[in-house]
Amino acid sequence: LMADILKTNVTARHIVGSTAPELQFTHYFNSKPFKFENLKGKVIVIEFFTNWCGGCMAAWPKMIQLKKDYEDKGIVLLGVTAFQGLMVGHGDKPQSGISKEEELKLMPKFIENQKITWPVVFSTRKAADSEYGVDGIPTIVVIDRKGIVRVLESAHNQKKIREVLDQVIAEE
């Protein structure tokens, strides 16, 4: 366990400035299916989250504002999660020990309840994606047009995220 934690922290430090690892998705909401590699050439903002994370829910208003402020600048905002076996934040009482099918069935209700208007995808890996160095959620990753990770930051640190985003958008 400690080795995993240390490995993740090392990954987090080394991912910034490196090529973004490939992501593969199994399910798509607010979007038609697409391949992550097809987003290359665009500025990508990924939020790694789960449906039970209170900090993620607290960050949604900030993410909604970020989308409003940047959607006309051509960014791709993407919510990335994975199967949790439970559902919280969908407007009804929390449910645990649920199947993937049940979780998928409840996801549109969660997305509507949380007012998420950007694509939400289920990754083949964990929501706390160790290949990206994500050691807590919600985590934002900004990827530039060349596919390089420029920042890995808590979704609550909007100042840092916006500074990097402004810089990346200004680059051609």
Side-chain angles (χ1 to χ4, degrees):
L1 182 68
M2 190 49 113
D4 287 342
I5 292 168
L6 292 173
K7 187 177 123 199
T8 301
N9 288 337
V10 168
T11 306
R13 282 198 299 274
H14 290 297
I15 192 85
V16 175
S18 299
T19 301
E22 187 62 35
L23 284 167
Q24 293 181 329
F25 312 126
T26 59
H27 297 85
Y28 304 77
F29 296 89
N30 292 347
S31 171
K32 291 183 176 117
F34 63 91
K35 284 187 160 56
F36 183 70
E37 64 200 34
N38 295 347
L39 299 178
K40 202 164 188 172
K42 298 180 190 302
V43 175
I44 307 165
V45 179
I46 299 174
E47 180 185 26
F48 290 97
F49 78 96
T50 63
N51 70 58
W52 52 263
C53 162
C56 300
M57 289 181 228
W60 294 134
K62 295 172 186 168
M63 297 308 296
I64 291 165
Q65 191 59 52
L66 185 96
K67 181 179 188 262
K68 279 184 191 155
D69 294 347
Y70 286 91
E71 65 188 339
D72 64 339
K73 295 182 173 136
I75 70 157
V76 175
L77 181 55
L78 195 57
V80 176
T81 191
F83 287 107
Q84 303 298 310
L86 54 100
M87 179 58 75
V88 181
H90 61 299
D92 288 337
K93 69 180 179 64
Q95 296 184 31
S96 60
I98 61 174
S99 69
K100 288 181 178 181
E101 291 74 25
E102 289 173 292
E103 193 170 336
L104 288 170
K105 225 174 356 182
L106 292 169
M107 203 63 191
K109 208 168 171 192
F110 171 84
I111 289 168
E112 183 184 352
N113 192 50
Q114 299 298 325
K115 300 176 177 60
I116 301 168
T117 58
W118 50 92
V120 170
V121 294
F122 277 71
S123 173
T124 56
R125 299 195 297 254
K126 292 180 178 172
D129 191 319
S130 60
E131 283 193 50
Y132 271 87
V134 176
D135 58 2
I137 48 170
T139 293
I140 298 288
V141 174
V142 174
I143 302 168
D144 69 16
R145 290 180 188 92
K146 294 178 182 135
I148 305 298
V149 174
R150 298 293 289 272
V151 73
L152 181 137
E153 193 60 61
S154 164
H156 296 285
N157 190 352
Q158 290 286 309
K159 184 177 186 289
K160 175 76 173 167
I161 292 162
R162 286 168 178 265
E163 278 171 15
V164 172
L165 212 41
D166 290 340
Q167 186 182 345
V168 169
I169 288 167
E171 296 168 359
E172 284 306 320

